[in-house]
Amino acid sequence: MTISKTLYSKHITHLLTNTVFNGIGLLLCLLTIAGCTSKPTVHIYGKYIAPSQVQSLSESLSEKGLNVEVNDFEFPTTITSNTLLYSLLLQAPEAIDYTSDAAKSNGLPINSVQPLSQGNHWYTKNSLAVFLFPDGKRPKGTLLAQDLVHSYVSKECGEGQRLRLNKDGTYQLTLEIDESTVSAQGHWKYRQFPYLELRELNSPYANYYFEISRELSEDQVSKLSLIHLQLLNANSANPLAPECVFTHGVRI
């Protein structure tokens, strides 16, 4: 029996085409499976804990095969102790136990494990998040120093316009003097709630004292969490008016 060259050529082409499509199909299947079993990401909210603790925890989680991302974002106001949040789309549930065990071994035991959401923070991907305090919980009725690191706007502060408290303990106070903008700099100290001190550069003592307070408010858009800094030592030696209040607000 003799097969023509044309028929033979068509047969070979058909076989090659099927092989290529089968190969592509297999590759797509493998990629889909790989995508479905991707490693979860653990978001470490490390604002309040020491850098050494953040590094040690990150290394422990990485050793378990988890992706790690670190940030110093604000915590939801309803979180008051060490908390683990996880997405319902989490593809490796064992990551919850891995993360809890790693936190505990680093001296940061988890007190609460919750699904989905807390405050404004939503986890709709293959991820978890841990919110950590150095002593396991936020001191009741107080603020930690890291809570004060913000830009504040003034109200009835005379020449004072804005105040910025930086994470490294420095501050910038923007003043409007004779239609000129001047920036005063120095260091801030938060020794004990509810008092804040500002000391200008090269000054042997604090130049400004403020009383810290918190307030929950609401406007037409949402609820607000406010931090107020009320001037305590108004006098002729500083450019701030006696009624001066600096305020920072966050929507919740």
Side-chain angles (χ1 to χ4, degrees), residues 76-91:
T77 56
T78 50
I79 286 184
T80 57
S81 65
N82 288 355
T83 299
L84 184 153
L85 304 183
Y86 63 92
S87 168
L88 291 181
L89 299 180
L90 187 65
Q91 295 170 12

Side-chain angles (χ1 to χ4, degrees), residues 35-185:
C36 291
T37 58
S38 60
K39 295 186 294 184
T41 297
V42 181
H43 300 269
I44 299 177
Y45 282 67
K47 177 175 181 176
Y48 298 114
I49 60 177
S52 58
Q53 290 178 299
V54 172
Q55 181 177 352
S56 179
L57 178 57
S58 297
E59 292 173 352
S60 297
L61 294 172
S62 295
E63 289 173 0
K64 290 292 186 179
L66 301 172
N67 295 320
V68 179
E69 292 188 10
V70 178
N71 67 69
D72 59 358
F73 298 154
E74 295 293 331
F75 285 25
T77 56
T78 50
I79 286 184
T80 57
S81 65
N82 288 355
T83 299
L84 184 153
L85 304 183
Y86 63 92
S87 168
L88 291 181
L89 299 180
L90 187 65
Q91 295 170 12
E94 63 273 15
I96 296 173
D97 290 335
Y98 291 162
T99 303
S100 296
D101 291 344
K104 183 177 181 180
S105 66
N106 282 278
L108 300 163
I110 300 296
N111 299 319
S112 177
V113 177
Q114 303 174 25
L116 278 181
S117 70
Q118 185 73 27
N120 288 338
H121 297 258
W122 289 83
Y123 298 95
T124 58
K125 298 182 179 180
N126 183 26
S127 61
L128 312 84
V130 284
F131 300 82
L132 302 168
F133 296 97
D135 296 320
K137 61 182 180 180
R138 183 191 297 272
K140 187 176 181 180
T142 67
L143 292 168
L144 300 178
Q146 294 93 327
D147 292 317
L148 301 176
V149 177
H150 295 297
S151 291
Y152 297 78
V153 296
S154 64
K155 180 181 179 182
E156 299 180 357
C157 285
E159 296 173 340
Q161 299 296 309
R162 292 181 302 278
L163 174 63
R164 171 71 191 176
L165 301 181
N166 300 312
K167 191 174 182 178
D168 62 0
T170 61
Y171 76 85
Q172 287 84 39
L173 175 61
T174 303
L175 304 170
E176 193 76 27
I177 301 176
D178 297 330
E179 299 184 356
S180 297
T181 300
V182 179
S183 180
Q185 301 182 34

